[in-house]
Amino acid sequence: MTGGGSSTRRPAAVARSRGRPSEASEPDPGARRAAAAAAQRRGRGNPGPLRLMDVRPRTLAYFVVASFALVSVTFVVYTGGWWEEVEGEGAATLRKVMRSVTPLPAPRMMDLPQFQNNHKESLYWGTYRPNVYLGIRARTPLSLIAGLMWIGLKNGQYFLRHVCQDSDELRTFGWTAHNGRDYGRQVLVDHGLFLTTSFLKEKGESSGYGGDWAVRLDANNERSGLSDAEESTTHLFFYIADETGNPITMGSYEPSSRGSVLLASGLHEEIGGWELYLRSEDNLEIHRAGFKSMSMHNLSDLVQQAVATNAMQSGNLNLPDITEDSSNIMVYQVSIKSPAQIDIVFLSGSASKSPVIEERISKLTGPMLSDRLETKQKEFEERYDQIFNVNNKVDSKELSVGRAALSSLLGGVGYFYGQSKIALPKGFTQKNGDKYISYWPAALYTAVPSRSFFPRGFLWDEGFHQRWDVHISMDIIGHWLDLLNSDGWIPREQILGAEALSKVPEEFVLQYPSNGNPPTLFLAIRDLASGIHAQQFSDEEAEKISSFLERAYIRLNAWFQWFNSTQSGKYEGTFYWHGRDNITTKELNPKTLTSGLDDYPRASHPNDEERHVDLRCWMLLATNCICSIAEFLKMDSALEKDYYKMSNQLSDFGTLNKLHLDDTIGAYFDYGNHTEKVRMRWFDVKDNNNMRREFLRGTLQAPQLQLVPHVGYVSLFPFMMGTIPPESWVLEKQLNLISNTSILWTDYGLRSLSRTSSIYMKRNTEHDPPYWRGAIWINMNYMVLSALHHYAHKDGPYSGRAKELYDKLRSNLIRNIVQNYDATGFFWENYDQKDKGKGKGARSFTGWTSLIVLIMAESYPTLHR
C-alpha cells in the first residue's frame, strides 16, 4: 500500500518514495514532485481542457502518436555490447549487474497446475486496468482492451475524463461491489453527472476462451433541466483496441430501436473471432473514429485531439466519423439525454451468422442483464457476510462502507506486463546513454494502492491486500515471487508497461538492486500455512495451498537469504536498512525509504553501526514463516535446522532488550550514530563567486552511538509481532505508550510519531513536509490491533488492559474511516492526528486502508508459527 516504493507518496506527487542507494544518487523528492506535476501538465495522464478555440484544423493523422515497440533486451545482447570491453573490478561489477536481471533458477510459481486450465480461463477477462475509471483487459501480454471516457464540464470548460486523477475533482469514484472475478458495480460523480458502471462476465457454451462480458452504463445528469441543449447532453465514449495491432472491423453506428447494434468485430489469437454490440432503449446519437496506433497509453490524447479538431471544423462536439486504414482502435461516442441506460456486450468466439448470437446478446443486455446483476449483487453480499461475519459487530452504515472498501481493493487489481528498469552502478552507462538495464519481460497480477496516484504494484503494500479469495491470493503472491532474480531480490515498485510508465516521470522509474522493502508477503503466506494447521480450508483448497507452499519454499529461502546477506548489521544477529544517504546536508534526518516508513526518524548520521528494530522483527516474521512451511512439509535438512536456530535467536527476549530496549520508558528504539542537536536553517553558500541561500542541516552537537530516542511505530514492532512475553513488565510499558495521549493515542487512531519527539511534524527539507512523523496510518494501526487482540487472549496480568485498549482503538478507527468516507466519498492514504482525523494524502487510497474490513471482522494475522 505505501511507504516504500519509489517516490514520496503525497498528493503532489505521481511517483512514490524511492530509496537512495549507496552507489547511485537519486533526484531530490521536491524535484520529483515538481517533475510529476509538470508531466501531468504536459498531458501524461491529464490531457487538460478541450481547447476548442485553440486547435487549428488538421487531418486526424497528424495527431496519431507514432507507434513504438517495447524491445526485450536479452542477456546475449548485453554481454555482446559493452560487457566484453570491461575487465578487472569493472567486469566483476557487471557480472553482478547481470545477475540482477537474471531470473532465479527455480520452477516458476505460475507454472503450477492449479494456475492453469479453468483457473486461468476464469480470470482471463477483468477490470484489470485500474489506472482508468473503467478499463477492461485480459490477463495476457497483448490483449484486447476496452474502456470508458466521457466529457465533463467544469467552470465553463470541457474536460475529457479517462485516467483516474484527483485533478478531475470527482465528488466520488470507486467500486461499491466487486468480487474480484466476474462482477462489479462502480459509482462515479463528476460534478453534476452521475455515472454507474456495472461489469459482468459469463462463460456460455458458445463462448470463446475467457467467455463473454457486458458493461452497463447508467447516466443521470443534474444539468438535464437546463435550457442549454449542449449542457444537458452527456457524451460518453466507449473504445475497444487491440494491443497486437490486428485491424478491427467497424460495424454499424446507427442506433436501432429494434435491438442491438454491432459496433465492431475482429480476430484475436487467444479467443478467435469476437464482436462488440450496443443496446439501449433510449434515444442515442452515435459517432465514431478509428485509429492505427500501438500507443495505448495515449488514447486520451487521440480522442481529445479528434473531438477538438472536429469541433473547430464543424462546430460540433463530436468524433469525426473517420477511420484510418487498418485501425486497431475503435472509439464510439454515444451522446444521450439523461437519464439513460446503455448496455455494451462483448462476445468471444463469435461469428455474426451464428443463430445463437441474438440469444447470447439477450442474456447480457436488457432485463436479463438486470436480473443477472441483481443476482450477482446478492451473491456478493452473502459471500461478504459469510467470510467476514460482521453483521453482529457493525451497524448498517459501517457494513456498507466495509463492502465498499473491499470492493475498491478488488476493483483495483490489475494485470501488467513489461520490464522493470534496473539502475546501473554509478559510473556505468550503456553505449546509447541509458543508465539502466532492463529486467526480463514479466507479468504481474496485483492490487494497486491507489488507482489515481499509485496504479501499479508495490511490494510491501501487497502483503496487506489479501484475505478474500485464497485462489486469487495465491495467484497474486505467485506472480510476485516469480519476479525474484538470481540473487533473491524483487524490485519493490513494479512499473510495467506503457500505461504504468505514463504515470511516472522517467527520472523516477529506476529500481536499485541494493534496496529492500518490508517482506510483508510473509504475513499472507504464514496465514496460508497456519490456516491449514487450523483446518480452515476445504480439502481441495488445502491440497492447492500445500502445492503452492512446496513450490514457494525455494523462492522464499532465496528472498530471505538476500535480506540476510545484504541488510545485515555489523554484528551477528543485527540488521539495518541499507541505502541511507550518509553525506547529505539537505535533510533534517536522512530518509530510510527502503523501510517503507520513509521519513520516520532514524539515527541522525547513518553508518554501518546502525541497528533497526523493525527490520529485525521482519526477519523474525520471515524465519517463523519458513519454519512453519518446513514443519508442514516435514522438511528436516540442515537448512531447516539453521532456520529454527535463527528463529530462536531473533525471538530471544533478552537479546532483543539488550540491543533495542530503553529500560526507563519501556520503548524499543533503533541504535546508531545520533544527536538530537540538528536543525534546518538557511545558509549563504558561495558558488563560482556568486552567493546563494540554501536550506541546510546544521549539526550543533557531535553525534554518538546510542539508542535513537523517538517513540513511534518503530518502537512498537516487537509488540506488533507478539515477541514480548505476556507476563513481562515491558508489555505494561508498551500499553502505557500506546494509551498516552501525549505520545501516540488519539481519538482517531495511533499517530506514527510521538508528540514528544523532536522531529514530530517537522519538515525534512524545504519542500518535503512530514509524512510518517505524526499522521495516522491504517496498516500499522492494524498491526497494533492484532497484537492487542493477541495479548487480550493470553493469560497474564495485562490481558484486561490489552482488551480495553483493543476495544477503544478498534472503535476509533472504524468510526473515523466511516465518517471520512461518508463525508468525502473516499478512503484516504492516512489520517490527520490533529485535524479531527481528517483524511489526507492520496485519496481513493484503497490499498491497505481497506484493512478496515478486517478490523471490522476482527480478523488478524497469526503472530507465531
Side-chain angles (χ1 to χ4, degrees), residues 50-300:
L50 288 165
R51 302 187 182 279
L52 306 183
M53 303 305 296
D54 297 337
V55 180
R56 290 177 293 174
R58 290 184 175 91
T59 63
L60 289 178
Y62 179 86
F63 297 104
V64 177
V65 179
S67 302
F68 78 93
L70 186 62
V71 180
S72 299
V73 183
T74 65
F75 181 89
V76 175
V77 172
Y78 286 117
T79 57
W82 35 266
W83 174 272
E84 295 173 350
E85 301 176 10
V86 182
E87 298 179 354
E89 184 176 340
T93 300
L94 289 180
R95 282 194 293 272
K96 185 177 180 181
V97 169
M98 295 315 304
R99 286 182 57 83
S100 72
V101 294
T102 302
L104 183 73
R108 293 178 68 252
M109 299 299 299
M110 299 316 298
D111 288 339
L112 279 168
Q114 67 198 62
F115 296 132
Q116 313 308 316
N117 302 323
N118 290 340
H119 171 88
K120 188 174 183 178
E121 185 177 5
S122 72
L123 294 174
Y124 185 74
W125 290 110
T127 53
Y128 298 144
R129 298 171 60 222
N131 60 305
V132 297
Y133 288 115
L134 177 65
I136 299 163
R137 68 167 294 126
R139 296 204 321 171
T140 189
L142 294 175
S143 171
L144 286 170
I145 65 172
L148 174 70
M149 305 181 194
W150 71 91
I151 291 178
L153 181 65
K154 183 179 71 172
N155 299 328
Q157 287 185 308
Y158 294 109
F159 291 83
L160 187 67
R161 311 300 197 199
H162 180 217
V163 177
C164 301
Q165 49 199 8
D166 283 358
S167 60
D168 287 346
E169 298 181 359
L170 267 64
R171 193 183 310 172
T172 188
F173 73 89
W175 297 94
T176 58
H178 204 299
N179 64 10
R181 289 184 173 271
D182 57 14
Y183 168 69
R185 182 179 186 272
Q186 180 181 214
V187 175
L188 308 102
V189 182
D190 183 2
H191 298 82
L193 175 62
F194 292 76
L195 277 174
T196 300
T197 69
S198 300
F199 172 77
L200 180 72
K201 182 176 66 177
E202 284 195 345
K203 178 65 184 289
E205 292 182 2
S206 303
S207 301
Y209 187 82
D212 306 330
W213 51 260
V215 168
R216 168 164 287 179
L217 305 175
D218 288 289
N220 201 353
N221 201 324
E222 288 181 343
R223 300 192 301 269
S224 59
L226 299 179
S227 57
D228 188 328
E230 189 59 59
E231 288 194 351
S232 65
T233 300
T234 298
H235 302 281
L236 306 178
F237 300 79
F238 195 86
Y239 61 85
I240 189 160
D242 193 326
E243 291 181 323
T244 68
N246 287 339
I248 296 175
T249 301
M250 177 72 74
S252 170
Y253 65 100
E254 292 295 332
S256 171
S257 60
R258 295 185 297 275
S260 58
V261 177
L262 174 64
L263 295 178
S265 60
L267 291 171
H268 190 275
E269 181 181 359
E270 295 183 358
I271 64 174
W274 60 265
E275 295 174 350
L276 186 73
Y277 291 86
L278 179 147
R279 178 178 174 180
S280 177
E281 301 301 320
D282 298 296
N283 292 324
L284 310 176
E285 181 181 341
I286 300 179
H287 295 274
R288 61 180 179 171
F291 307 94
K292 182 175 176 58
S293 175
M294 300 300 287
S295 300
M296 301 303 171
H297 61 291
N298 286 328
L299 286 172
S300 299

Side-chain angles (χ1 to χ4, degrees), residues 79 81 94 126 350 450 521 702 851 863:
T79 57
L94 289 180
S350 62
S450 168
L521 292 182
L851 287 169
L863 292 183

Side-chain angles (χ1 to χ4, degrees), residues 3-21:
S6 80
S7 49
T8 302
R9 178 178 287 171
R10 298 193 176 90
V14 174
R16 193 176 167 184
S17 298
R18 193 189 319 273
R20 187 185 305 275

Side-chain angles (χ1 to χ4, degrees), residues 10 577 580 587 589-593 595-604 610 612-614 667-670 708-717 720 744 751-754 757 759 762 764 770-775 777 780:
R10 298 193 176 90
W577 297 103
R580 297 185 70 207
E587 296 181 64
N589 187 275
K591 288 184 177 181
T592 316
L593 301 171
S595 72
L597 304 180
D598 292 26
D599 65 348
Y600 186 96
R602 310 278 182 165
S604 61
E610 281 193 87
H612 292 157
V613 64
D614 57 329
Y668 290 98
F669 293 132
D670 290 337
V708 182
H710 295 283
V711 177
Y713 288 161
V714 165
S715 307
L716 303 178
F717 258 81
M720 293 182 201
L744 299 178
R751 57 174 67 91
S752 47
L753 187 64
S754 170
S757 168
I759 293 184
K762 292 288 183 64
N764 204 47
Y771 199 37
W772 290 82
R773 295 182 176 179
W777 294 81
M780 292 292 100

Side-chain angles (χ1 to χ4, degrees), residues 427-445:
F428 288 89
T429 303
Q430 295 204 56
K431 288 182 178 179
N432 62 3
D434 288 342
K435 295 184 178 181
Y436 68 87
I437 187 170
S438 294
Y439 227 48
W440 63 90
L444 181 63
Y445 175 58

Side-chain angles (χ1 to χ4, degrees), residues 589-649:
N589 187 275
K591 288 184 177 181
T592 316
L593 301 171
T594 50
S595 72
L597 304 180
D598 292 26
D599 65 348
Y600 186 96
R602 310 278 182 165
S604 61
H605 291 69
N607 63 17
D608 63 0
E609 297 278 355
E610 281 193 87
R611 303 195 293 260
H612 292 157
V613 64
D614 57 329
L615 181 52
R616 178 187 174 89
C617 291
W618 288 123
M619 296 297 283
L620 174 60
L621 167 69
T623 57
N624 282 346
C625 180
I626 293 176
C627 287
S628 295
I629 296 173
E631 283 181 13
F632 174 72
L633 298 176
K634 296 180 171 56
M635 304 175 74
D636 191 29
S637 69
L639 177 62
E640 282 70 54
K641 289 182 173 62
D642 287 343
Y643 275 116
Y644 281 106
K645 180 181 178 181
M646 189 167 188
S647 176
N648 290 333
Q649 290 174 341

